[in-house]
């Protein structure tokens, strides 16, 4: 502010008047502000796009290692053979169309004090505001589950190559085999995911390998949409799917990748296909940049999603602590827009307005049967808050007709969130 | 308080003062206009209301027979409405002073005499009873607005123009007793939001802006019930005679 | 100079507007409306295959729909649960946002032969309220042109089953139509570009 001379002031206000009276989004006498977005998943992509939509004078660079991104959502339908890998693939052409500078590189560090981002490719990007959307990384809660084990006992919790491995294993499996899903402890990405996956794989097994079984070995005693999933297990997947809670011996502590065996204490489950989903923390770069708390997730201010640890850095999506919002794709999309609006406000010298967020999440649990959960969120007393009376689950008693509609709406959700985030 | 008043007044004046907007209505209550409305032939109005053309619905399609049975509660009850008021609204639709695409189209090809005939027809109809949720309450403060207004907010009593029984007045003041709750609320919101601007001197806009949403809701309930009481009363009287 | 005067008025207007915005607490219209985009598309332009376009929908139709969802008087899969998260004022704020967007007609898969047959039924039975192929946001008629076919079909199914109330004049028309005619006319609306 000390350098804020009278002349500059005149230039800036002159620019502002020019905007108002002529209607041109021309900024006079101001260098363009720079935003760097780390990570091109749903949160990062959405934030980048919405910043550009709100203020095209802001220079946005998005750094993401992959040139093609596979969405986690609907990847369970690839496992069941209902859809192809191609159908969950997105590219970054849409974002480029919005004027986002997309760089395919891996961020190796974020210097919050120096306001710059460094990459494996040796580049440095200065920023005025940085948005970090790194997703998740895996914690080592299961002995023996390492990088090598992931190749034979895929987690498939980041879609892409992992999804393909798991699908191929299911295809190669003999009829009568056992598929195990080791479900992670809370908190983790996509809370209903493991159970929707069980339903999807069960649909494949019933059609192609009807003598097979699927067992969910869970590190928890309860899970998201539980009543509705149990209903689906009974209604569509009876005789195939079995859920074992932690209490009943479901908590996998060790694996042996060589023999495809999962251990719950001393009890061994030797299976045909093992899908091991480990415990999770914020994406590695968030940890490296010192954005995480002692539990491994990134605390944020609910109004702007700015880190409460480092100024000028915002963290969105699965990596952030946005409780009561779940770690879901829709939440990440919603958070991306809140962060985008806040960043645009802050870079234009305004206080960020009140945020509004929504989560909607569908699970396709059987033929012509989908269920959903939804909630509206706002800011109350400075904290993110689920609006009372809003949201909730699909009714257990909803008619087959309405369940079938939910499948169509689940696919609409998918088509629209892809386009809204990357398109 | 003072600042608020100034801002309110400035906001109200702006469209007329600075922007030099069109007048709120082109209907002037001259002797000729009054005479035209007074001579409106209700029997012709009765025929016009059922006429539908290739592109326009009949009046009855949306407002029901005699304007007494709107097909949706957001469409107004026209039965028993003051003829001068109905006439002015139809004229305002015709020249676009009041905007509603469907109504603008509906009156496009009607003459002033035909509009007066419709107004006369509706004025002859008894006020029908309207649905009001039994759970809705009306506070004493709201009833006070009806009869006393609120000087602090420069709100005139509703009754001072619309009458003690919400019956309206001969010169262009609508009957509001017996109006649909939803239409009443929507109308007030349209006035408050400057979406309806055909009130002379923006009288209703000023009042609608000063009222809270809860007050508007309660006034709508109050007047709907008032209409029902009156129509019940007249039925009872008729039965007694 | 006339131009300058206009600009001055606009400027003063915008100052007043800014003042008003400050007084009103709560999230902005775009902030709230953007939360819908994950299912209804950016700015309410749906990528389908079933979620309806919201872009260009009249305020009246949007408000009525959301309030009906909130009160449970219109059948819903998920919208009832979402609508309950908003006050009437917030709903009206979002309505203003979507009404301000240009009408969006999606490239909707449909049966061309049925659409052609449906044009006649449309002219006869629907055109008065759903003007110009259902593309004009009438007071309460919604936008049907270029809407996704499954949504049109679900809506009509709800109307016919009596789960959603039809305006009397619509009921009068629908009563006269065969299932095949209705199917055709829905394809006609979907075909509008």
């Amino acid at each position: 502010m000390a350098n804020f001379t009278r002349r500059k002031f005149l230039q800036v206000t002159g620019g502002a008047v020019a905007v108002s009276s002529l209607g041109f989004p021309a900024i006079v006498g101001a260098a363009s502000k720079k935003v760097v977005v780390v990570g091109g998943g749903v949160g990062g992509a959405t934030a980048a796009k919405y910043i550009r939509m709100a203020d095209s004078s802001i220079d946005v660079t998005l750094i993401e290692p992959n040139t093609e991104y596979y969405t986690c959502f609907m990847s369970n339908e690839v496992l069941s053979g209902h859809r192809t890998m191609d159908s969950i693939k997105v590219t970054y052409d849409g974002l480029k169309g919005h004027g986002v500078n997309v760089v395919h590189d891996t961020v190796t560090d974020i210097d919050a004090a120096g306001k710059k981002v460094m990459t494996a490719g040796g580049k440095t990007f200065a920023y005025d505001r940085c948005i970090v959307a790194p997703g998740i990384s895996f914690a080592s809660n299961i002995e023996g589950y390492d990088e090598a084990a992931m190749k034979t006992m895929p987690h498939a919790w980041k879609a892409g190559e992992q999804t393909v491995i798991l699908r191929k294993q299911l295809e190669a499996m003999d009829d009568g085999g056992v598929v195990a899903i080791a479900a992670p402890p809370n908190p983790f990405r996509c809370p209903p995911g493991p159970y929707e996956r069980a339903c999807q794989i069960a649909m494949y097994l019933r059609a192609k390998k009807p003598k097979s079984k699927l067992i969910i070995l869970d590190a928890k005693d309860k899970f998201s949409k539980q009543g509705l999933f149990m209903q689906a297990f009974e209604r569509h997947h009876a005789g195939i799917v079995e859920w074992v809670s932690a209490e009943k011996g479901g908590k996998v502590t060790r694996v042996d990748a060589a023999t495809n065996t999962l251990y719950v204490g001393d009890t061994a489950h030797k299976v045909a296909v093992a899908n091991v989903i480990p415990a999770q923390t914020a994406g590695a770069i968030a940890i490296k940049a010192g954005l995480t708390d002692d539990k491994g997730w990134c605390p944020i201010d609910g109004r702007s999603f700015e880190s409460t640890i480092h100024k000028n850095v915002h963290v969105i999506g699965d990596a952030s602590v946005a409780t009561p919002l779940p770690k879901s794709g829709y939440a990440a999309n919603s958070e991306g827009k809140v962060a985008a609006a806040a960043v645009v406000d802050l870079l234009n010298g305004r206080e960020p307005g009140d945020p509004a967020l929504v989560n909607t999440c569908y699970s396709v649990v059987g033929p012509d049967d989908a269920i959903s959960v939804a909630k509206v969120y706002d800011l109350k007393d400075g904290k993110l808050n689920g609006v009372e009376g809003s949201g909730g689950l699909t009714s257990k008693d909803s008619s087959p007709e309405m369940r079938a509609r939910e499948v169509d709406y689940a696919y609409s959700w998918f088509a629209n969130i892809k386009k809204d985030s990357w398109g | 308080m003072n600042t608020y008043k100034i801002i309110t007044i400035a906001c109200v004046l702006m469209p007329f003062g600075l922007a030099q907007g069109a007048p709120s209505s082109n209907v002037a209550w001259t002797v000729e206009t009054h005479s035209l409305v007074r001579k409106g032939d209700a029997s012709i109005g009765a025929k016009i209301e059922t006429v539908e053309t290739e592109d326009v619905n009949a009046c009855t399609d949306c407002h029901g027979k005699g304007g007494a049975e709107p097909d949706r509660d957001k469409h107004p009850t026209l039965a028993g409405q003051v003829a001068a008021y109905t006439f002015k609204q139809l004229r305002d639709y015709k020249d676009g002073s009041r905007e509603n695409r469907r109504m603008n189209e509906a009156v496009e090809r009607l003459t002033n005499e035909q509009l007066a005939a419709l107004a006369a027809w509706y004025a002859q109809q008894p006020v029908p009873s309207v649905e009001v949720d039994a759970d809705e309450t009306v506070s004493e403060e709201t009833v006070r607005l009806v009869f006393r207004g609120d000087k602090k907010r420069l709100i005139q009593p509703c009754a001072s123009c619309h009458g003690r029984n919400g019956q309206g007045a001969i010169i262009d003041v609508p009957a509001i007793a017996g109006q649909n709750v939803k239409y009443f609320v929507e109308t007030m919101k349209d006035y408050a939001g400057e979406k309806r601007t055909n009130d002379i001197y923006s009288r209703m806009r000023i009042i609608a802006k000063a009222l809270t949403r809860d007050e508007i809701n309660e006034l709508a309930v109050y007047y709907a019930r008032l209409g029902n009481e009156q129509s019940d009363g007249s039925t009872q009287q008729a039965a007694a005679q | 100079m006339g131009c300058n005067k206009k600009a001055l008025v606009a400027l003063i207007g915008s100052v007043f507007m800014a003042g008003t915005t400050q007084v009103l607490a709560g999230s902005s219209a775009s902030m709230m409306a953007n939360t819908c985009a994950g299912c209804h598309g950016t700015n309410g332009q749906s990528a389908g295959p079933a979620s309806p376009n919201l872009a260009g929908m009249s305020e009246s139709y949007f408000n009525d729909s959301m309030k009906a969802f909130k009160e449970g008087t219109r059948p819903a899969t998920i919208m009832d649960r979402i609508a309950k998260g908003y006050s009437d004022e917030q709903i009206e704020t979002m309505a203003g946002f979507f009404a301000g967007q240009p009408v969006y007609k999606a490239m909707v898969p449909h049966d061309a032969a049925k659409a052609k047959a449906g044009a006649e039924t449309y002219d006869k039975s629907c055109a008065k309220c759903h003007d110009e192929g259902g593309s004009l946001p009438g007071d309460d008629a919604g936008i049907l042109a270029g809407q996704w076919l499954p949504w049109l079909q679900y809506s009509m199914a709800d109307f016919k089953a009596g789960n959603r109330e039809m305006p009397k004049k619509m009921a009068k028309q629908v009563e006269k139509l065969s299932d095949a005619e209705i199917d055709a006319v829905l394809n006609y609306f979907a075909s509008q570009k």
Side-chain angles (χ1 to χ4, degrees):
Chain A
M1 280 307 283
N3 297 335
F4 202 73
T5 62
R6 184 177 156 77
R7 183 158 163 270
K8 266 190 186 156
F9 176 74
L10 287 175
Q11 281 175 332
V12 173
T13 50
V17 170
V19 173
S20 298
S21 59
L22 298 174
F24 297 139
I27 294 290
V28 181
S32 72
K33 303 282 193 202
K34 285 186 168 57
V35 173
V36 172
V37 180
V38 179
V42 62
T46 305
K49 170 176 164 177
Y50 272 77
I51 289 173
R52 293 286 306 166
M53 276 169 53
D55 184 347
S56 59
S57 75
I58 296 175
D59 184 337
V60 179
T61 300
L62 180 139
I63 309 174
E64 157 67 37
N66 303 302
T67 54
E68 287 166 347
Y69 181 90
Y70 292 91
T71 64
C72 280
F73 30 85
M74 291 294 167
S75 67
N76 285 333
E77 286 206 334
V78 174
L79 299 178
S80 63
H82 278 92
R83 62 170 67 237
T84 61
M85 283 301 284
D86 244 12
S87 76
I88 60 166
K89 183 173 84 179
V90 292
T91 69
Y92 292 92
D93 294 344
L95 291 183
K96 289 173 194 162
H98 285 280
V100 176
N101 175 29
V102 180
V103 175
H104 295 296
D105 202 341
T106 302
V107 174
T108 50
D109 207 354
I110 300 166
D111 174 4
K115 296 213 269 187
K116 55 186 192 256
V117 165
M118 280 72 75
T119 70
K123 294 214 177 78
T124 298
F125 297 88
Y127 65 78
D128 293 293
R129 293 257 159 197
C130 182
I131 296 179
V132 183
I136 51 155
S137 55
F138 296 115
S140 50
N141 64 320
I142 297 173
E143 195 188 329
Y145 194 68
D146 52 18
E147 290 277 332
M150 286 177 190
K151 301 283 184 200
T152 54
M153 301 174 108
H155 53 75
W157 219 239
K158 293 179 182 178
E161 187 197 358
Q162 280 279 308
T163 316
V164 176
I165 295 174
L166 184 52
R167 171 65 187 163
K168 282 189 174 154
Q169 288 184 353
L170 290 167
E171 283 175 324
M173 187 182 89
D174 291 333
D175 190 6
V178 174
V179 179
I181 297 176
N186 289 322
F188 65 101
R189 159 181 285 179
C190 190
Y195 315 96
E196 184 201 47
R197 176 169 291 180
C199 292
Q200 285 290 329
I201 294 176
M203 278 194 269
Y204 169 70
L205 296 178
R206 181 164 312 279
K208 304 282 181 177
K209 289 156 191 177
K211 286 180 259 170
S212 308
K213 301 265 183 265
L214 185 148
I215 182 170
I216 307 167
L217 297 169
D218 210 323
K220 308 176 291 302
D221 289 326
K222 52 185 186 187
F223 60 88
S224 167
K225 305 181 188 168
Q226 186 165 349
L228 288 163
F229 276 115
M230 295 310 260
Q231 183 191 51
F233 294 164
E234 200 174 299
R235 191 181 275 178
H236 305 294
H237 315 301
I240 295 181
V241 172
E242 185 195 349
W243 175 65
V244 183
S245 67
E247 198 182 53
K248 297 269 168 64
K251 191 174 179 180
V252 174
T253 48
R254 180 162 68 91
V255 295
D256 179 8
T259 58
N260 234 27
T261 307
L262 304 101
Y263 293 90
V264 177
D266 293 334
T267 313
H269 296 270
K270 187 167 172 6
V271 296
V273 174
N275 169 212
V276 178
I277 309 166
Q280 294 154 32
T281 62
I285 185 61
I287 301 168
K288 178 86 190 294
L291 291 162
T292 48
D293 62 14
D294 55 356
K295 294 192 185 76
W297 303 95
C298 306
I300 48 96
D301 165 56
R303 178 175 292 276
S304 60
F305 280 78
E306 184 166 358
S307 165
T308 53
I309 298 172
H310 288 311
K311 283 220 158 303
N312 305 314
V313 179
H314 303 248
V315 187
I316 55 173
D318 294 343
S320 69
V321 184
T323 327
L325 277 92
K327 297 190 186 303
S328 75
Y330 205 101
N333 171 276
S334 210
E335 293 164 16
K337 292 167 191 173
V338 170
V343 162
V344 169
D345 279 339
L346 289 163
L347 292 181
N348 284 290
R350 298 185 297 258
E351 281 293 307
D354 286 352
L357 301 105
V358 166
N359 178 54
T360 61
C361 161
Y362 287 90
S363 307
V364 182
V365 298
D368 294 326
D369 189 354
I371 56 174
S372 59
V373 66
K375 189 94 185 167
V376 177
Y377 302 89
D378 62 7
L379 197 71
K380 198 174 174 186
D381 305 324
K383 289 201 169 73
L384 290 167
N385 162 64
V387 175
E388 208 185 318
S390 78
L393 298 161
T394 297
S395 165
K396 255 180 144 177
D397 304 324
S398 67
S399 66
E401 158 70 15
M402 287 314 230
R403 290 292 183 92
R405 285 190 195 182
E406 291 223 56
V407 175
D408 268 349
Y409 288 127
Y411 294 155
S412 298
W413 179 106
F414 180 55
N416 278 296
I417 198 169
K418 268 196 302 183
K419 208 169 166 207
D420 187 45
S421 306
W422 290 277
Chain B
M1 183 65 199
N2 278 337
T3 321
Y4 179 75
K5 257 189 225 168
I6 290 164
I7 289 173
T8 309
I9 292 164
C11 286
V12 168
L13 291 179
M14 194 123 63
F16 307 99
L18 289 171
Q20 297 169 340
S24 58
S25 173
N26 294 315
V27 178
W29 286 109
T30 60
V31 177
E32 290 78 13
T33 314
H34 275 299
S35 161
L36 180 73
V37 172
R38 225 179 9 254
K39 286 182 189 153
D41 186 336
S43 66
I44 292 173
K47 285 180 192 133
I48 297 171
E49 79 161 353
T50 62
V51 174
E52 58 177 312
T53 70
E54 208 170 292
D55 4 86
V56 179
N57 280 300
C59 309
T60 48
D61 283 342
C62 292
H63 297 281
K65 193 172 182 328
E69 287 175 12
D71 73 330
R72 294 194 151 189
D73 54 7
K74 67 191 303 176
H75 295 151
T77 296
L78 306 175
Q81 187 52 274
V82 173
Y85 173 77
T86 305
F87 174 79
K88 177 181 177 292
Q89 300 310 310
L90 294 173
R91 271 286 305 271
D92 287 347
Y93 279 130
K94 201 174 165 187
D95 68 21
S97 304
R98 184 172 173 188
E99 280 180 45
N100 176 297
R101 191 168 52 78
R102 234 177 277 301
M103 281 306 301
N104 297 144
E105 286 171 5
V107 299
E108 205 174 12
R109 278 178 269 171
L110 296 177
T111 64
N112 283 343
E113 285 72 19
Q114 287 170 321
L115 298 182
L118 274 171
W121 166 243
Y122 289 126
Q124 278 185 5
Q125 310 305 311
V127 176
S129 61
V130 292
E131 264 183 56
V132 191
D133 195 336
D135 301 336
E136 298 285 350
T137 56
V138 178
S139 69
E140 277 178 37
E141 288 77 12
T142 297
V143 178
R144 196 173 305 137
L145 282 175
V146 171
F147 294 104
R148 299 268 171 85
D150 182 350
K151 288 202 178 85
K152 280 187 194 156
R153 289 185 289 161
L154 305 174
I155 299 173
Q156 290 182 63
C158 313
S160 68
C161 291
H162 293 277
R164 292 194 65 77
N165 298 316
Q167 75 276 24
I170 193 83
I171 306 172
D172 184 26
V173 176
I176 49 176
Q179 190 50 272
N180 293 328
V181 172
K182 189 161 178 191
Y183 178 75
F184 187 110
V185 170
E186 294 291 320
T187 301
M188 293 297 274
K189 278 198 270 190
D190 284 351
Y191 276 133
E194 294 279 343
K195 283 180 189 149
R196 180 169 166 185
T197 55
N198 69 327
D199 52 331
I200 310 277
Y201 309 128
S202 63
R203 279 180 300 209
M204 280 314 301
R205 275 173 283 173
I206 292 170
I207 292 168
K209 278 173 192 159
L211 292 169
T212 67
R213 188 173 282 257
D214 286 346
E215 286 168 344
I216 289 173
N217 288 339
E218 291 196 1
L219 285 169
V221 171
Y222 173 84
Y223 278 110
R225 286 199 180 129
L226 188 61
N228 287 352
E229 282 165 22
Q230 288 165 7
S231 56
D232 290 354
S234 59
T235 317
Q236 280 160 12
Q237 276 172 13
Q241 284 163 7
Chain C
M1 283 311 281
C3 179
N4 277 345
K5 190 178 172 189
K6 260 189 204 161
L8 182 67
V9 172
L11 192 62
I12 294 168
S14 67
V15 169
F16 273 105
M17 288 301 282
T20 326
T21 318
Q22 294 247 314
V23 174
L24 292 171
S27 310
S28 69
S30 61
M31 175 65 82
M32 283 190 289
N34 286 345
T35 66
C36 311
C39 290
H40 292 279
T42 307
N43 295 331
Q45 303 187 345
S46 174
S51 308
N53 305 310
L54 306 180
M57 195 175 260
S58 76
E59 288 184 55
S60 164
Y61 184 85
F62 184 94
N63 286 333
D64 285 356
S65 300
M66 286 293 278
K67 287 172 196 173
F69 283 136
K70 197 166 143 179
E71 287 157 14
T73 53
R74 177 167 163 183
T77 51
I78 199 169
M79 280 312 302
D80 48 349
R81 290 174 266 158
I82 292 171
K84 285 187 185 112
Y86 300 101
S87 67
D88 287 356
E89 289 90 334
Q90 287 176 314
I91 288 171
E92 285 157 26
T93 304
M94 285 187 270
F97 177 90
F98 288 114
Q101 302 296 321
V103 172
Y104 177 67
K105 290 176 238 176
M107 297 287 280
V108 181
H110 64 274
D111 183 319
K114 283 183 185 174
K116 204 171 163 211
E120 210 172 297
T121 308
Y122 166 79
D123 279 339
K124 187 175 59 154
S125 307
C126 317
K128 275 180 202 163
C129 296
H130 300 284
D131 313 45
E132 299 192 20
S135 66
L136 291 184
D139 53 350
D140 50 12
I143 288 177
L144 304 184
Q147 280 292 10
W148 295 90
L149 190 54
W151 180 75
L152 292 167
Q153 289 165 335
Y154 295 156
S155 302
M156 186 51 91
D158 290 338
F159 280 130
K160 288 208 71 167
N163 297 331
R164 181 173 167 192
E165 201 187 347
M166 273 189 269
K168 285 176 196 149
K169 56 182 179 285
M170 177 169 166
K172 207 169 78 183
Q173 296 299 331
V174 168
E175 208 170 71
K176 291 186 227 158
L177 300 177
S178 69
D179 288 350
E181 283 173 313
I182 288 175
D183 185 32
V185 88
L186 297 182
N187 274 276
Y188 166 80
F189 283 124
S191 75
Q192 296 300 296
K193 293 180 200 68

